[in-house]
Amino acid sequence: MASGAHYLVVFSLPTIVMALYPRGRLAHTWLRWPVATAATAIAVLTLAAPFDAEAYDDIVPAGTPPVALTPFVTGVVSGTCLALIGLCSMILTGHTLARLVRSRPPERQQLAWMARRPTTYRPS
């Protein structure tokens, strides 16, 4: 998808949503940095995606964007943003697992639901 709209959906769950879940606010003030960094990286990645000349072909076959970034620039922007999102995701997932160990019910059950391993549905 050249529009980049899917980046918000894909990357917000392991970063921003996980940091705010289940109370809707950050558990510690130091979490502002990884959440703000992840949000900024997601926004930059989303805004830069439509200017990738190679990905623009998905939207308009055999077309070029009005303003196209060079492949080097899109590579640097994408690589940097994805590295930052990955780092923030690891920090926030580790913090969520630490909260899971330290918390008491009902927050523990809520965090366990969020941190659980996804299972496949098998009808009986």
Side-chain angles (χ1 to χ4, degrees), residues 94-105:
H95 180 262
T96 299
L97 293 174
R99 280 178 32 203
L100 175 64
V101 171
R102 295 182 195 135
S103 64
R104 299 182 187 272

Side-chain angles (χ1 to χ4, degrees), residues 17-42:
V17 174
M18 189 165 299
L20 297 173
Y21 189 79
R23 292 186 235 151
R25 58 186 164 85
L26 298 175
H28 300 287
T29 57
W30 68 267
L31 289 173
R32 290 180 189 161
W33 288 105
V35 170
T37 302
T40 303
I42 292 168

Side-chain angles (χ1 to χ4, degrees), residues 17-105:
V17 174
M18 189 165 299
L20 297 173
Y21 189 79
R23 292 186 235 151
R25 58 186 164 85
L26 298 175
H28 300 287
T29 57
W30 68 267
L31 289 173
R32 290 180 189 161
W33 288 105
V35 170
T37 302
T40 303
I42 292 168
V44 168
L45 194 60
T46 302
L47 294 173
F51 301 107
D52 183 4
E54 294 174 8
Y56 194 77
D57 192 44
D58 293 343
I59 298 173
V60 180
T64 57
V67 177
L69 299 174
T70 64
F72 176 75
V73 172
T74 57
V76 169
V77 168
S78 297
T80 303
C81 289
L82 290 173
L84 288 172
I85 292 168
L87 178 64
C88 293
S89 179
M90 288 189 297
I91 291 169
L92 295 170
T93 300
H95 180 262
T96 299
L97 293 174
R99 280 178 32 203
L100 175 64
V101 171
R102 295 182 195 135
S103 64
R104 299 182 187 272

